[in-house]
Amino acid sequence: MNSRKVPQTDPPIARAHELMEKLASPGSDVLWLNPPGELLGAGQAGWRFWQPHHASHHALRSRGWEEVAPNDDRRWPQILLYASKHKDETFHLIAAARSRLASGGKLFFVVPNDYGAKSYEKPLRESATSLSYENGRKSRLYRLDPLLESTPQSIPLEALQQRGGGYWSSPGLFSWSGVDTGSALLAEVLKKESLTGPVADLGAGWGFLASGLPAKTAVHLFESDRRGLECARRNLADHNASYHWCDLSDLERWPQGAPTQFPNVITNPPFHSGQREETGLGQLFARLAHRILTPGGALWLVGNSHLAYPRLLSTLYREVEIKAQARGFTVVKARR
């Protein structure tokens, strides 16, 4: 499969990375948390990284970086942490990073202004013996010296939690604390249909859409965030489900072992890259679905109504039908 690759670089994080490069001085043993893989060079001996997003993870591994296990409890003399756009995820990673600092260790934490850089100052200052920061080009780098109180036990990097309704999720996943409006609307539509398997769930997250399918229906979940698939495995324990950790914006690396043809595709495509609305991601999902659908197969897609997916889909598919509209979202069925 060949396709234009959607750029992975998030400009705010790219600017924050410039500040990290300028002010942090990595030594021989460094733990890198959530690093932007496409911006970093070759790995070095003593460096380890944690990165749940496939594109950055693949970029780092291809350059010789070694990964740390999410539950590894080693203490590090220096940790470099890049903020997520999700504050609840970032605060968890700060706590996890602190729990891994060696005595006298240093934690560098870089965050773009777009992610609320200044708002971190007060909570960070309350729990560090000293806190300093430097402002860069629309970003800020904090340096945290040893804590007032040491953390006796390492906090897992991947915070899988059971949420309302019994679903497993994790900070950092889309709509991690509850079912989003768009997915709920699409699920209502799918309940009235009898989808033939195998079904492809593109951008599956923690598996909500797949969980609404009959348990015997074969469903393949494609997701870029490893934590989403770990949660989905728990949420779909009684389903006929297969899991594919992948970067769907890079169609030249279709997951090994995954089918390439499906009679049905379901998706609530992402429409943000970093803090920016990015309709190109949804358009890519629509085109990908067209590639993997069998002749006569159907795409079931939900998106914000203002994104005008029906108009886009009409240029790709022979039949396009609006199945539901409510609460600012539109569900579209498009037949190949």
Side-chain angles (χ1 to χ4, degrees):
M1 295 184 178
N2 295 306
S3 172
R4 179 183 67 85
K5 192 177 189 308
V6 173
Q8 293 295 318
T9 303
D10 182 10
I13 285 293
R15 290 192 294 267
H17 175 65
E18 292 175 2
L19 190 59
M20 183 74 86
E21 284 188 313
K22 179 181 178 181
L23 297 176
S25 302
S28 58
D29 293 324
V30 183
L31 177 61
W32 300 69
L33 299 180
N34 199 36
E38 67 276 14
L39 300 178
L40 274 67
Q44 297 185 23
W47 289 9
R48 298 292 184 273
F49 80 97
W50 171 84
Q51 175 55 264
H53 298 281
H54 189 277
S56 285
H57 185 279
H58 177 80
L60 293 169
R61 291 293 291 156
S62 67
R63 298 187 194 115
W65 286 68
E66 294 189 34
E67 185 177 14
V68 68
N71 59 351
D72 188 283
D73 60 0
R74 176 181 172 184
R75 302 291 168 138
W76 294 84
Q78 192 170 184
I79 299 178
L80 275 54
L81 168 60
Y82 292 77
S84 159
K85 63 178 178 286
H86 304 285
K87 273 199 168 182
D88 45 7
E89 177 188 12
T90 300
F91 275 118
H92 173 80
L93 289 175
I94 291 171
R98 285 172 157 172
S99 75
R100 285 167 170 74
L101 277 177
S103 176
K106 306 295 183 183
L107 170 59
F108 292 90
F109 166 54
V110 67
V111 54
N113 290 353
D114 287 5
Y115 291 7
K118 189 175 180 180
S119 66
Y120 285 95
E121 182 177 349
K122 183 179 179 180
L124 291 176
R125 193 174 295 282
E126 290 174 348
S127 59
T129 56
S130 68
L131 174 72
S132 60
Y133 65 85
E134 296 281 348
N135 288 315
R137 188 163 61 97
K138 298 184 179 180
S139 59
R140 180 178 286 201
L141 183 139
Y142 291 95
R143 173 175 167 166
L144 288 76
D145 285 343
L147 302 178
L148 293 171
E149 296 179 4
S150 61
T151 305
Q153 204 167 22
S154 292
I155 297 172
L157 290 167
E158 299 184 4
L160 275 57
Q161 303 175 19
Q162 203 161 16
R163 308 297 296 180
Y167 289 112
W168 286 87
S169 188
S170 178
L173 298 178
F174 170 68
S175 194
W176 85 276
S177 60
V179 179
D180 65 285
T181 303
S183 292
L185 183 62
L186 177 53
E188 291 175 13
V189 171
L190 295 178
K191 283 181 181 178
K192 303 172 186 176
E193 306 290 336
S194 298
L195 272 61
T196 302
V199 177
D201 185 351
L202 304 182
W206 46 267
F208 171 71
L209 289 178
S211 72
L213 299 176
K216 293 183 179 180
T217 300
V219 58
H220 289 257
L221 287 78
F222 298 84
E223 171 58 40
S224 65
D225 192 321
R226 180 177 59 205
R227 297 167 299 181
L229 294 182
E230 290 303 317
C231 291
R233 290 178 194 277
R234 302 184 185 199
N235 296 329
L236 301 171
D238 60 347
H239 282 63
N240 181 13
S242 301
Y243 306 90
H244 308 283
W245 186 35
C246 58
D247 173 16
L248 289 178
S249 71
D250 185 357
L251 303 188
E252 295 179 359
R253 291 204 310 269
W254 187 247
Q256 186 174 4
T260 57
Q261 293 284 283
F262 295 87
N264 286 287
V265 175
I266 60 177
T267 187
N268 180 358
F271 64 96
H272 281 91
S273 177
Q275 299 293 85
R276 300 169 295 119
E277 188 170 284
E278 175 57 85
T279 57
L281 296 172
Q283 293 171 6
L284 184 141
F285 270 43
R287 292 187 173 91
L288 170 58
H290 188 269
R291 284 174 177 264
I292 64 176
L293 280 168
T294 56
L299 165 66
W300 306 81
L301 177 149
V302 65
N304 291 74
S305 297
H306 75 273
L307 297 178
Y309 278 117
R311 186 166 62 246
L312 166 68
L313 295 175
S314 67
T315 66
L316 296 171
Y317 295 81
R318 61 183 177 87
E319 295 179 16
V320 176
E321 178 185 1
I322 295 177
K323 300 294 290 186
Q325 286 184 306
R327 305 182 290 279
F329 289 86
T330 298
V331 175
V332 184
K333 176 184 180 183
R335 191 172 294 282
R336 188 179 188 278

